Structures are given as structure tokens and as C-alpha cells.
Amino acid sequence: MRGYQLKITIQGSSPPIWRRVLIPTGITFSDLDQIIEYLFGWTHSHLYGFKIPTENIFITENSEYDDKDAREEIIDDWFFEKATLEYIYDFGDSWEHKIVVEKVVDYKERFPKVIKSKGPNLIEDCGGIWGFYEVFEEAEPFDLEKANAYMEKHMVFAEKNTKTKDQNNIINIQSYLKKQDQEEWDNLEEEMYLEVFEQFQKQINQYTKQLTLKEIYQEYPKNVLVDIAKQNRFYGYSRFKKAELIDWLIGKIMEDAYMEQVIRQSSRDDLELFEKVIEEGSQFFPVELLETVGLLMQYCGYIGGMLIITNDVKKKYKKICNSASWKREREKKWKLQSYVRSCMYLYGVISFKEIVHIYQSYEKKSISEAELKNICEKLIQTEENWYIVGELLMDKMLEEDQVYQDVLKEQEGLPYYLPKTKEEFLEYGSMNGTQLDDIAYSFLQFLMEEMEESIYESEMILCFIQDMIRCNCTIEEMKYKIPWSNTKNFNRRTEDMLEQYIMMLSEHTRRWENKGFTPIEREKMDFEKKKSTLNVLSNQAYEETMKIDNVISFEKEKKIYPNELCPCGSGKKYKHCCGRKKKS
């Protein structure tokens, strides 16, 4: 049998008031509330709540707006060595208790047991911790032996953990993962890391076979469910309690027609990831990106950093997406989307006619402007960064104050930048705004090493800067708009390095006003054009000269020596007159 050794401390108490207690596994947060209230002398006269800081989850009773119900939520889902929780009693006086799971222990009893304590019982309605010290002499001492005798007789808790063996294995692996600090993980041998990860993935895959999407939704806080409803532009969700909201949402998003619509609107990358999870059972995915992908947010679960898909979702997806005609249509749509994305990345604003021309030049196939425009209109429903004005498609950053007209004026007379192969052209559409050349890689290294940004944050900053460059923002504007996650290393030296990198990136970034050419390429084009024009003019002038019969020859200018009289008639030597002026 297992149990937990907890240390519960009253926040703000000095000297600290705390209890060290053993509790059994398989109890609810409501059971834990009874234990804590008894240990500190509370009389159940006020409301209480638990907070899981790492997940920002709040657990109480009798509130439809909180994330979990304390009467149903089992503590084992959140308890592992070194885990920290918060308990608040009396939301008016706000008594805050810090709970630390010091270790997981062998404990066969079904009742709690205090093994050490410090400080007296507390006093109700005294104004919180600060008011308590004004009436400190009135506090009753805590009697450890009396407390243990009472809890053994009156606090015997039945095993409420209904999880299967596989589910408990998942929790054990998650607990192991959570309690490792980063330094320990960094020192693990690669083989050991992979072994733990593979074991974890196998157990997740086994666990997933028993789940439904409804059970995944039951684990979500209510505010996440509301976000899903808002994201899908559903109406009427505010009248439901959490359990009703889950049934209502599942009914809507699992309809064949609606799921097919979501799939059709999803990008190629998102659907390929979705299909990979279906094939492999689970897939690692950064939690920061989960909320940005509607398909994954609605139809996937998330356990220990891994995406999972339940069997009911798998069956529905295969039913919708297995026909050959559906797949052909999807491939064509994806290809068109890729061309549009590349055009928007390189040019910023372009007519549908020109996109069709570019598509046909690479694919050697025809497509109508109407079909292309229809696809773009559907894409805009999910990709908010595009905008249509008449027969033009543009980035939304050019919409304000009709900046696109200035860009079009700058583009006049320039050819479109078109790489030699369609693969290279389409690669720009898959970059999501990031050109990864040598300079970009060097800049990413600077962000990670000098600024101590994560690889994810570094790529986001690079993407942001290149977007700003394409919009012709100044270096000063960019510096103060960069979404830093870590500014502790921002000093004069790193600021100078940042400016240098921005200047280098600016010269090598493909610009909208240049129709996709970099400033260096544009300068070379302008020079060649000017050189060509001068050659033409020179040839024309020579031909005109040769047509003249009577050519007047001019006498070669006579050399004047410094000590000779100046030819201007001043009477002075040349070196003291016009010769001095000419020299200066």
C-alpha cells in the first residue's frame, strides 16, 4: 500500500505553523480538506479551494465555474514527490496553506497520521494571519496524540481510486517525469532517456484504447471547453453547466458534416500530424502550440507532452477521409494553398490573375481565377492574416491606411522573384515567415546563447523580425517590439549585436516592395538596368556622330606652366592667380 508524506504550512506565519502528516492514496480533495481543517482547528464554517499552480487549475465544491469538483477529483492525479499545491480556507480572511508532497511512502492505513507539528491551532474570523497574531494568546495548542487518536477513529477513508492498472502506470510515469529537474534530465544517458520515453509512450497508447473524446473533455477545465465553443463560433454555450456543456459540444463537433468541414479547413502540416498520431498512437507535441491548431485542440487529448486520439475520433476520421476522390481533391487544394502562401510570403500583395499565372508556369496545368479566389476566401476564415480587396489578395499588415498601394507603387516595373524550381518556390510557403540561411542560423544561435531564449522562442523572434523587415519597420521599432521571454541579458553589448544582426537580416530578407527580391538582388538588378541603359545611349550617340560629315576639330588645350603669366590678363604669374584657384 502507498501513501504520501505531506508538509502543510500556513503562509505568512512566523515562526512557521505547520503539520507533517501521512495520508493514504485514493482519497478525494474533499477528504483532504477534512484532514487539513481538523489539523489546523478550522470548523468548516467557510468555503475552501485547492490550486494546482503548475496547471493553473482550481478545485472546490459546488461551483460550476471551477475546473474540478473536490468531491470527485482524486489526489493521486496530482501528487508526486516534490509536488506543490495551495489550499485556501475562508476566501474572506484568505488563509493560505502551502502543501508539499515530501515523498511517496509505504503506508497501509486508510486514515491520516500526524508525525510532527509546530504551532497552535488557528482561530476563525480573526482577520487572517495578521489578525491572528493580535489574539495569538487565545489559540489552543495542537495535541498530536489526541489528533491521531481522533483521526484513526473518525477519518477512515475508503479507496476511491477507480483507475485501471494502465492508468496508474501512466500516472507513475508522469510523476517520474515531473519530479526530475532539468539538470537531472540533461545528465541522463541518451539510451536511458529513450527507454523511459518509449515505455511512457507504450503505456499511453494502451491507455488511449480505453478512452473516448468525452472522457478527454471531462478532464478539461470549463474555460477550455468554452474556448473551443467560441473558436467554432457556436452560440448558446453559456447556459450549460460543465457536464451539460461537454455533451452539447461532443454532439456538435462529432457530426460528420462538421468534422469534415474542420478537416477541409486544416493545413497540410496539421492533418499529416493528426494522421501520424492515428497511425502511431501518440506523438510528442509542444503544449504552447496546441491552442493554435483547431483540429488538434478539438479532437486530441494531451498527456505528459503527448498528443493522443481516441478510438471514436479515429473511426469518424477514417469514415470521412478514406475515399480516393476525397484525397485527390484534398491534394489539389493543399497544392493551391501552398502556392498562395508562397506568394503572400514573397510579395505581400498580388492579384489572383498573377497567382494563376505563377501556378500555371510551374505546374503546366490550368486553374480559374474564380476557383483560386474561392479557396482564398475559405482560407481567410481560418487564417486571419490575409485580406481581399477586389481582385487583390494581400497581407493584413498592408490593409491599414491602404499601405498596399504604396507597396504596389514600389513594385511597378519589377519582375516577380521566381526560383528555378517549384519545390524551392513552395518552400517559402512552408517556412511560416522564416528564411533559414547562414545569417538566420547565426542569429538563432545568438538568441539561444547570448539571450538564453529557448529554440521555440528564438524561432518566433526571428519570424517576427523578418515580418517587420518586410513591412519596412525601423531598427528602433523592431528592437522595442520584439516579444522577448527573457530580458535579463539585454545590455549595451547584446543590444549592439542585435542591431548588427537586424541590419544583416535586412539585406538578405526577401522584401514585398521588391516583389520577393532581397535588397542586394534589387541593387544588382538596378545596376544592370542602368548599365544596359547607358550602353544603349552610348551606342546611339556614337551612331549619330558618325552620320555628321563636317566634324569640327577642337584645338587641344595648351599647357600653362606655373611661372608663366596668367592668360586671364591680371599680370600675375599663373601659380599665384588662376593656377592657385584651380588647385584649391
Side-chain angles (χ1 to χ4, degrees), residues 292-423:
T292 66
V293 183
L295 177 69
L296 306 183
M297 187 67 183
Q298 293 175 68
Y299 294 105
C300 291
Y302 196 75
I303 297 178
M306 306 289 285
L307 281 178
I308 62 171
I309 299 178
T310 57
N311 281 334
D312 53 342
V313 174
K314 290 178 185 178
K315 290 177 182 176
K316 181 77 70 173
Y317 182 81
K318 290 177 180 178
K319 175 185 174 184
I320 293 170
C321 305
N322 259 3
S323 71
S325 61
W326 196 94
K327 289 181 178 179
R328 281 196 301 271
E329 182 186 346
R330 183 178 70 176
E331 286 295 327
K332 182 180 180 182
K333 185 199 77 170
W334 280 348
K335 184 170 285 187
L336 282 169
Q337 287 178 353
S338 297
Y339 274 96
V340 173
R341 288 194 177 98
S342 292
C343 286
M344 295 309 296
Y345 176 84
L346 289 169
Y347 317 130
V349 54
I350 187 172
S351 69
F352 293 110
K353 181 179 179 180
E354 290 294 344
I355 298 175
V356 167
H357 177 73
I358 291 169
Y359 174 83
Q360 291 175 343
S361 66
Y362 280 120
E363 295 293 330
K364 312 304 179 187
K365 296 177 183 177
S366 62
I367 181 179
S368 69
E369 290 182 41
E371 183 180 359
L372 178 65
K373 190 172 183 180
N374 180 259
I375 285 175
C376 291
E377 286 171 346
K378 289 180 179 178
L379 274 174
I380 287 173
Q381 294 175 9
T382 56
E383 301 196 22
E384 300 295 333
N385 55 328
W386 296 353
Y387 193 73
I388 294 176
V389 175
E391 296 305 310
L392 292 175
L393 179 67
M394 70 188 71
D395 192 288
K396 266 208 166 181
M397 288 190 286
L398 301 180
E399 176 195 2
E400 187 176 353
D401 298 328
Q402 297 186 324
V403 176
Y404 73 91
Q405 293 182 351
D406 296 328
V407 175
L408 286 172
K409 189 173 181 180
E410 286 288 328
Q411 292 179 347
E412 283 181 8
L414 288 175
Y416 285 101
Y417 166 74
L418 293 173
K420 291 181 180 179
T421 65
K422 74 174 182 181
E423 288 76 18

Side-chain angles (χ1 to χ4, degrees), residues 16 19 27 112 168 221 226 276 280 360 376 410 425 511 556:
R19 311 284 186 257
I27 66 173
N168 278 322
V226 169
K276 190 173 183 180
E280 298 183 3
Q360 291 175 343
C376 291
E410 286 288 328
F425 178 80
R511 303 284 196 95
K556 187 176 180 181

Side-chain angles (χ1 to χ4, degrees), residues 2-254:
R2 291 192 314 133
Y4 303 104
Q5 178 178 303
L6 310 181
K7 183 176 181 182
I8 308 171
T9 306
I10 300 297
Q11 299 279 59
S13 57
S14 181
I17 300 171
W18 53 265
R19 311 284 186 257
R20 179 168 285 121
V21 58
L22 300 175
I23 64 171
T25 58
I27 66 173
T28 65
F29 278 93
S30 179
D31 297 332
L32 182 57
D33 163 67
Q34 291 185 49
I35 296 170
I36 295 174
E37 292 208 34
Y38 179 75
L39 291 178
F40 289 94
W42 302 128
T43 61
H44 304 279
S45 303
H46 298 280
L47 297 175
Y48 71 90
F50 291 89
K51 185 177 181 181
I52 316 294
T54 56
E55 306 290 337
N56 199 25
I57 287 176
F58 203 64
I59 304 170
T60 66
E61 291 184 21
N62 303 320
S63 176
E64 61 180 281
Y65 299 104
D66 294 321
D67 303 322
K68 305 283 184 181
D69 190 327
R71 294 163 297 185
E72 298 175 1
E73 189 67 17
I74 308 298
I75 64 170
D76 300 338
D77 290 356
W78 310 100
F79 277 32
F80 50 88
E81 287 188 12
K82 309 307 179 187
T84 302
L85 298 84
E86 297 173 9
Y87 170 83
I88 302 172
Y89 176 76
D90 184 353
F91 297 147
D93 283 355
S94 190
W95 289 93
E96 297 179 359
H97 308 57
K98 180 181 179 182
I99 304 172
V100 176
V101 183
E102 293 185 315
K103 55 186 174 180
V104 179
V105 297
D106 292 328
Y107 187 63
K108 64 180 180 179
E109 310 297 348
R110 294 304 307 165
F111 54 83
K113 181 180 180 181
V114 184
I115 54 177
K116 200 168 184 180
S117 70
K118 185 174 183 180
N121 285 333
L122 302 171
I123 300 173
E124 294 274 7
D125 302 319
C126 65
I129 187 65
W130 309 115
F132 171 74
Y133 284 108
E134 295 180 3
V135 292
F136 182 79
E137 294 79 9
E138 300 176 21
E140 295 181 2
F142 177 75
D143 189 325
L144 188 147
E145 292 183 4
K146 181 180 175 182
N148 283 335
Y150 177 87
M151 291 191 294
E152 183 176 354
K153 184 176 180 180
H154 299 286
M155 290 191 180
V156 179
F157 299 105
E159 177 77 39
K160 298 185 182 70
N161 193 345
T162 58
K163 295 183 184 296
T164 65
K165 180 180 178 182
D166 287 330
Q167 288 172 298
N168 278 322
N169 285 337
I170 292 290
I171 292 168
N172 292 340
I173 295 291
Q174 280 185 286
S175 299
Y176 178 70
L177 291 172
K178 285 182 179 178
K179 73 181 180 182
Q180 302 297 317
D181 60 34
Q182 189 60 48
E183 185 176 352
E184 289 178 33
W185 274 112
D186 291 342
N187 293 330
L188 279 178
E189 295 292 334
E190 184 177 354
E191 293 79 6
M192 182 181 175
Y193 180 89
L194 291 174
E195 183 180 342
V196 172
F197 186 80
E198 287 172 5
Q199 181 186 5
F200 184 44
Q201 188 171 20
K202 285 178 183 178
Q203 292 180 346
I204 284 180
N205 294 348
Q206 188 65 30
Y207 175 38
T208 305
K209 294 177 181 178
Q210 308 166 25
L211 284 177
T212 64
L213 185 61
K214 181 176 179 179
E215 289 173 310
I216 293 291
Y217 275 25
Q218 286 170 344
E219 295 298 312
Y220 286 173
K222 187 178 179 183
N223 65 299
V224 173
L225 300 173
V226 169
D227 286 343
I228 292 174
K230 288 179 179 178
Q231 189 179 58
N232 288 284
R233 299 191 174 118
F234 294 152
Y235 299 98
Y237 54 82
S238 58
R239 67 182 185 272
F240 296 117
K241 292 185 178 180
K242 181 178 176 180
E244 297 170 328
L245 178 58
I246 290 172
D247 290 336
W248 181 77
L249 263 181
I250 294 292
K252 281 187 168 294
I253 69 171
M254 290 297 281

